[in-house]
Every structure is written in structure tokens, then in C-alpha cells.
Amino acid sequence: MFEQERRKADRLHLTPSIPGRMQEHEVRLVNIGVLGTTVEHDKPLIVGGPHKLRFKWDGEEIEVDCTVVHSEQKANIFKTGLSFVARPTALRRVLDTLNDRDEMDRLKTLVEASKLINSSIEPDALFGSILTVARNELHVDRGTLWFVDDEKKEIWTKVAGEFRATRPIGTGIAGTVVATGEPIILHDAYADSRFDRTADEKSGYRTRSMLCVPIRNRDRKIVGALQLLNKNDGAFGQGDLDFLSSISEHMAIAMENATLHIELLEKQRMEEELKLGREIQSRLLPQPPIDVLDTELAALSVPCYEVGGDYYDFLELPDGDLGLAIGDVSGKGVSAALIMSSVQAALRVAAPIEDDLARLVQRLNALIYRSARGRKYATFFFGRYTPSTGLLRYVNAGHNPPFIGIDGKLEELMSTGKPIGILPDSTYHERDVEIPPGATLFLYTDGLNEAADPDDNEFGYERLRELFMKTHDPAAIHRRQDDRRPSPHVGQACGLPNPECGTAQPCPTPPRKTPDRPTYCR
């Protein structure tokens, strides 16, 4: 009610102007309020009074006593302010009618403004819509819409539709408005030390006046700020603040929708990138060779996320040897995948020319440490197997101990050094072991023994050992490898736990007969 009465006390702009007469001269009423009016005319009026102002309203002759307060001339047009001496009932009817008409126009404007503001969730289109509303209603030259990023404690806007400009909350005009929640009006922008002239200096534009207001949502939380420059028809004032306050909630909803839209697009972009990354990474993990003398090979990798740090490899080495590599980079996701790719690339270059396995792993350790500075590391096992003799030379850099099983006996290949990438000068030791005919070598990462059931109970290292002793034929996993699709029972033929869904029950399918030659499986 108070707001409505306050608006009735404001001057109402008359479009078109109302013709009248005063001091025997033709005048045009351009605005009117309870205290007086402003008229334009071609001939000068006598200052003082009282004088009679007459004009027609809805067919009725209105006569009001006025005092000429001030008059100024621009070109051949005089603009004069009149103060009412008495306010007859007829004048009150005029003002009430004009106020009602102004209120209807105001509501119509708000509806149209809200429709325009919410017509798009694209940030560029949203900015254009809000600026269009500001230009149409407040008659400004330019504007900037700032978004609040609570996580980074900064505000951001897009310049020229592409460049993202940011600044900390509390700095500059917009940052101050967001921090304090109070609007700022500058009639001389260059006189305020908070105003940053950088944009003007780059563009050649001159900011004279400025209005910057906070944008609040329904919970009164500040989600942005609107900064308007250079009002064309006078100075920024209370009426401008009132209009922006009335559409602030609509702007806030649109901005929050735009922010969600940006996040959704970014999420979709990342999902596409990760999908492509998974496809590329799966191609980096090779198919097991099928022509190794008296040896059957199988391999499978099911990443927890789109990309990850688990790694295996088969390398054809000089003199007919076979290189066997397996690793597990700490953490998951993109960073682990990048480290894994670095290990693979370096290993494929160095392994064929470096026969000393301890020195080879030492070089890999230095590479990973330089890349990640100790923030990422990898457990790593590399073995060089000679099929003609069954000899396996290996280095185990902190990796899960591979199993060798034959005739009900199990041997573990324990660690011979620290994981690679933790310390720059780690040293490693080479060991060797003979793999007799009919034995099975089983290499794995901790994703297998740490697989959990729905109650979050891990499968465990001991149960993995027991399963391996019962089933010496992990080559059955290879049947799931070709299509690369997640299976409800990955590794079911050999009774291994499912790393995808947490299944940790032995498969009822009896294992196949152990072949009379070594089997290598990941």
C-alpha cells in the first residue's frame, strides 16, 4: 500500500503531451504529479503567480492555479516547471486515472519483460534479452550481466560472446554490489575510485554514468549483478531502481537456469570426451598374442570409471622373449589414465633396448616422478619371459604379488622395490623364477581382491588365493574380452569376483582342464 501511494506521488510522464493554455499562451503538459507539472511552450511565461492553467481531460475543462517556478530555453523551446497552488477535485481524478493507467502499463511492461527474459536459457541470449529490456525501459547505452560463482568466490561475465571475464567478489563496482547487496549509482563514473577504466581504454568508449544493482532470487540470495551505462534521457534515479527491483526475481530465475544449462552442456561435453577417452584407452590395451611358443595368453580390463589407471601390456622383445607388464596408477579418472599412457609409451620404447630390468624400471620411476612430482605413483610389475626355457626375469615395484600355481602349490612373486613415481632415486632388484610346463602365471590389480558385495564386504586377498588354487585356468576370462561389454558375471568361468557388480561367489561351472603349458592371464 505504501509503495502504491509513493508511486502516486511520482511525476507521471504524459505520452502524448496534453495541450493547454496559460497566460494566453499555448502550452503542452509533458508530466504531472500532485505537486505540479512541467510544460513546454514556444513563448516565454512570466515567473511567479498565481496564474491559471487550463486543459481538457476526457471532455472536461480543468482549471488549476499555478506558480511559475523555473523556466529554461533550449533552441526555440521553453521548458517550465509549475507548482500547484490549489488542487481541485477534478485534478485528483486526473491523477488517479493517470496512475491507474500507469500501473496497468507498468504491469504490462513487467509481464513483457519477464517473458523476454525467460525466453532463452542460453547465456548470450539471456544477456541480450535483459539488455533489451533495460534499453527499452531505462534508455541506456550499454550493460553488463555478471554471474556469481560461489565456489570460486568470484563474478564472471562474457565479453563479445566468447571471452570470459572474471573478478573477485568485492572488487570493482559489480563486485562491491554483490558483496554488499546495495545498489550503486554513479553520476560521474571516473570520479569513483572503484570504477575500472580498463574496458573504456581498450574500446574507446566513455562511461559517464552507471547504475549497478544486485540480482536476488526468491530466497533473497544474490546470484548476479546488472550494470547499466550512460542513461540517455537524464540521470539514473529511484524509478530505475524500482523497475529493476520488480524484475530482479525473473532475472535471477533465468540466470540460475542459464547456469544449470552451462553446467549441463559442460557435463555432456566431458561425458563425450571421457567416452572417447575410454575407447582410445581400450585400444591401447593390446590383444594377447596367439603365436607364443607353447603358451596360452588371456587378458581383460573392466575400468571402474570411463577411464582409469589400470594397465597391462604384452611386448615382443629381441631373441623371442615376451614382455609382460601390469600396473595400477594411484587414484582414478583422467589423471591416472594420463600417467598410465606415459608408462606404456616409455616402456614400449625402452624395453626392447634395455635388457637390465632393474635399470629399466628405475628409468620409468624417474619419468613418472618428473611428471607428477610424487602426487601420483603406480605399482608396477614387469617380467621378461623366455618361452623356450620357461625362465621369467622380473621386477615387482610394489605391485600385488602375481601367483604361480602348479600341482596344488602356489608361489607369489613378492615386491622387489617401491612403487614407481614416489621417490626420484628409488632402486630396484631383478629376480628370476622358472615356470614349469603346465603352470599358470596370474597377474592382477587390487580391483580384483578389493571387489565388494552390496554390504561393502571386500572379496579379500585370501579368498582370491583360494579361488586361484581351485581354478588354474583364468584363460576363460578371455571369452568376455572380444565384445568389451560389461557382463553380469565377469570372469564367472574361473570363479573370480565381479569387479563391476561386486559378485564374490564361485561360479558353479566347473573349471576346464588345465592345459599342459603355462598360461598367463590378467
Side-chain angles (χ1 to χ4, degrees):
M1 186 67 177
F2 173 78
E3 177 65 16
Q4 185 178 9
E5 290 302 317
R6 189 198 62 74
R7 285 201 300 270
K8 287 185 177 181
D10 291 342
R11 287 292 180 97
L12 302 174
H13 292 278
L14 302 175
T15 305
S17 58
I18 300 175
R21 291 187 63 82
M22 185 173 185
Q23 297 180 11
E24 305 304 322
H25 297 306
E26 300 289 339
V27 299
R28 298 175 295 279
L29 282 71
V30 296
N31 61 47
I32 191 170
V34 294
L35 301 179
T37 182
T38 300
V39 296
E40 292 181 347
H41 45 96
D42 303 327
K43 296 181 180 180
L45 298 178
I46 301 172
V47 177
H51 301 283
K52 298 290 186 182
L53 171 65
R54 299 180 178 86
F55 61 93
K56 285 187 177 181
W57 177 257
D58 286 345
E60 180 181 0
E61 185 77 25
I62 307 296
E63 183 178 286
V64 188
D65 290 329
C66 299
T67 299
V68 178
V69 179
H70 174 73
S71 185
E72 61 180 17
Q73 182 181 9
K74 289 186 178 181
N76 296 324
I77 303 296
F78 292 89
K79 195 170 186 177
T80 301
L82 307 180
S83 176
F84 294 142
V85 175
R87 293 184 288 279
T89 304
L91 181 60
R92 170 53 66 182
R93 290 200 300 272
V94 172
L95 293 174
D96 287 344
T97 302
L98 288 173
N99 269 299
D100 291 342
R101 186 180 301 172
D102 182 65
E103 184 68 15
M104 289 297 295
D105 290 342
R106 178 177 175 274
L107 291 175
K108 181 180 178 180
T109 299
L110 292 179
V111 171
E112 293 300 321
S114 64
K115 288 169 58 179
L116 181 60
I117 289 171
N118 289 283
S119 62
S120 176
I121 57 176
E122 292 285 349
D124 291 341
L126 172 61
F127 169 71
S129 298
I130 291 178
L131 187 55
T132 297
V133 170
R135 282 175 173 166
N136 292 343
E137 302 303 323
L138 305 185
H139 310 291
V140 300
D141 272 355
R142 297 185 179 185
T144 304
L145 181 63
W146 293 90
F147 290 75
V148 173
D149 188 329
D150 290 317
E151 183 177 343
K152 296 182 179 179
K153 303 298 181 184
E154 65 183 19
I155 56 175
W156 64 271
T157 188
K158 295 184 74 174
V159 179
E162 297 180 1
F163 176 70
R164 181 182 171 111
T166 62
R167 63 182 51 181
I169 293 176
T171 63
I173 301 298
T176 301
V177 167
V178 169
T180 64
E182 297 295 329
I184 292 177
I185 295 178
L186 302 180
H187 299 297
D188 182 0
Y190 279 38
D192 195 297
S193 60
R194 296 170 296 183
F195 177 71
D196 184 1
R197 305 185 188 186
T198 304
D200 280 10
E201 293 170 352
K202 290 181 178 179
S203 64
Y205 183 79
R206 173 61 187 257
T207 301
R208 299 184 303 276
S209 59
M210 177 186 293
L211 169 62
C212 189
V213 296
I215 299 176
R216 302 176 186 271
N217 61 15
R218 291 180 178 177
D219 298 326
R220 307 305 297 163
K221 177 185 176 182
I222 297 176
V223 298
L226 179 61
Q227 189 170 280
L228 303 174
L229 310 180
N230 295 354
K231 188 175 175 68
N232 296 321
D233 57 351
F236 289 112
Q238 187 62 44
D240 302 319
L241 290 174
D242 292 343
F243 174 76
L244 293 177
S245 177
S246 62
I247 63 173
S248 176
E249 192 172 295
H250 297 283
M251 288 191 288
I253 293 173
M255 291 176 69
E256 289 177 330
N257 289 339
T259 300
L260 291 175
H261 179 64
I262 292 173
E263 293 174 353
L264 177 61
L265 291 179
E266 181 64 17
K267 181 181 178 182
Q268 291 175 343
R269 185 192 67 79
M270 292 182 65
E271 287 176 349
E272 289 298 320
E273 291 288 336
L274 290 173
K275 181 179 178 181
L276 177 60
R278 178 171 186 168
E279 181 180 342
I280 293 173
Q281 189 176 38
S282 66
R283 292 177 181 176
L284 292 176
L285 301 177
Q287 295 291 328
I290 60 175
D291 55 353
V292 179
L293 179 66
D294 295 329
T295 305
E296 181 180 344
L297 301 165
L300 177 66
S301 176
V302 180
C304 180
Y305 296 110
E306 285 81 356
V307 293
D310 281 15
Y311 158 66
Y312 71 83
D313 209 348
F314 302 97
L315 290 84
E316 296 184 15
L317 300 176
D319 302 324
D321 286 356
L322 176 67
L324 300 170
I326 189 168
D328 184 4
V329 180
S330 61
K332 297 177 177 65
V334 175
S335 60
L338 291 173
I339 295 295
M340 181 275 279
S341 299
S342 298
V343 171
Q344 182 186 50
L347 181 65
R348 290 192 172 188
V349 171
I353 60 177
E354 179 58 78
D355 185 65
D356 189 327
L357 302 190
R359 188 181 303 167
L360 172 65
V361 176
Q362 197 166 358
R363 289 182 177 179
L364 293 178
N365 172 74
L367 170 69
I368 300 306
Y369 183 82
R370 285 197 302 269
S371 301
R373 294 296 177 185
R375 291 173 295 182
K376 285 286 183 182
Y377 63 90
T379 62
F380 182 71
F381 177 94
F382 183 71
R384 184 163 182 155
Y385 175 66
T386 304
S388 60
T389 64
L391 180 67
L392 176 70
R393 298 160 49 210
Y394 68 91
V395 171
N396 185 349
H399 193 72
N400 303 74
F403 301 153
I404 298 178
I406 187 170
D407 297 332
K409 298 179 181 179
L410 183 146
E411 182 178 353
E412 300 179 48
L413 306 184
M414 306 305 292
S415 176
T416 65
K418 296 182 178 63
I420 59 176
I422 293 181
L423 298 172
D425 54 356
S426 294
T427 58
Y428 300 91
H429 304 284
E430 178 182 316
R431 292 179 184 169
D432 60 65
V433 64
E434 182 180 351
I435 303 179
T440 299
L441 172 65
F442 180 62
L443 301 100
Y444 61 97
T445 64
D446 59 13
L448 215 52
N449 55 280
E450 291 180 1
D453 64 15
D455 294 326
D456 210 29
N457 298 311
E458 288 190 358
F459 185 71
Y461 178 70
E462 292 302 323
R463 296 173 71 181
L464 181 61
R465 282 169 50 96
E466 292 174 7
L467 273 177
F468 176 73
M469 291 303 296
K470 293 177 182 177
T471 307
H472 280 358
D473 187 16
I477 298 177
H478 186 260
R479 290 199 295 268
R480 295 288 181 181
Q481 184 181 6
D482 290 337
D483 57 11
R484 295 286 181 173
R485 292 174 299 186
S487 167
H489 297 290
V490 173
Q492 62 178 357
C494 60
L496 296 179
N498 180 0
E500 183 92 351
C501 67
T503 301
Q505 298 299 324
C507 175
T509 303
R512 294 185 303 168
K513 182 180 179 181
T514 304
D516 294 329
R517 53 184 180 273
T519 299
Y520 299 88
C521 176
R522 156 65 175 86

